[in-house]
Amino acid sequence: MFLRSCLAALTVLIALGAAGAATADCPAKSTQMDDIIAALKAAPSCNRAMTIFEACEYGASGDVQFGAVVEQRCEADFLSGLGASRKKAYQRELRACDRKYLNESGTMYMSFTAFCRAEVAQRYSQKALKTAGPKAR
């Protein structure tokens, strides 16, 4: 029982810390979800979108929407150029993120999943841009 109480308190502290960080460094007009989504959509690059996501994260289920925007932004850099086998590999990596915290309870695990998926998309974007050379950036 004591351990469960400590874990619950730690979860709350982490969530509060993440929310506090978001308000201090978030480059969006405000920390409202619509403003953060607008900032993510306006990001000039995948890496910038990820930086905004990290700065504006809620540490909870709202991050699922933010992560989806980052995924879409990053996928614009590589998805159309992937062959069938690489697309399957990409989908496998995304599914691995979905499974990673599947049996965990709490909205922070939804945030962890969103970040995992966005990081996979970011890696693919970085690799595609590196392969394409400096002109693609």
Side-chain angles (χ1 to χ4, degrees):
M1 184 67 172
F2 176 74
L3 181 59
R4 184 174 287 165
S5 297
C6 288
L7 287 174
L10 181 61
T11 300
V12 169
L13 288 174
I14 290 170
L16 289 174
T23 59
D25 300 327
C26 182
K29 187 168 76 172
S30 76
T31 56
Q32 295 296 311
M33 183 172 284
D34 290 341
D35 290 334
I36 294 170
I37 289 172
L40 290 168
K41 287 182 177 180
S45 68
C46 170
N47 286 339
R48 181 65 182 143
M50 187 59 133
T51 300
I52 294 168
F53 184 23
E54 290 167 343
C56 300
E57 71 174 290
Y58 288 168
S61 60
D63 290 346
V64 172
Q65 291 176 341
F66 302 155
V69 175
V70 173
E71 277 183 61
Q72 290 173 353
R73 174 60 193 93
C74 294
E75 286 175 349
D77 293 338
F78 68 87
L79 200 56
S80 65
L82 287 184
S85 65
R86 292 298 298 149
K87 272 188 184 174
K88 286 181 183 178
Y90 174 62
Q91 292 299 321
R92 267 194 312 272
E93 289 185 51
L94 292 177
R95 284 192 304 272
C97 289
D98 294 340
R99 286 188 309 271
K100 191 171 185 178
Y101 303 105
L102 185 62
N103 295 319
E104 301 295 338
S105 62
T107 60
M108 72 181 185
Y109 292 104
M110 295 172 79
S111 173
F112 296 167
T113 298
F115 268 98
C116 180
R117 290 178 60 95
E119 289 165 355
V120 168
Q122 183 184 33
R123 280 194 309 274
Y124 273 76
S125 169
Q126 289 170 339
K127 185 174 181 183
L129 293 175
K130 185 177 180 181
T131 301
K135 255 188 166 177
R137 295 175 203 175

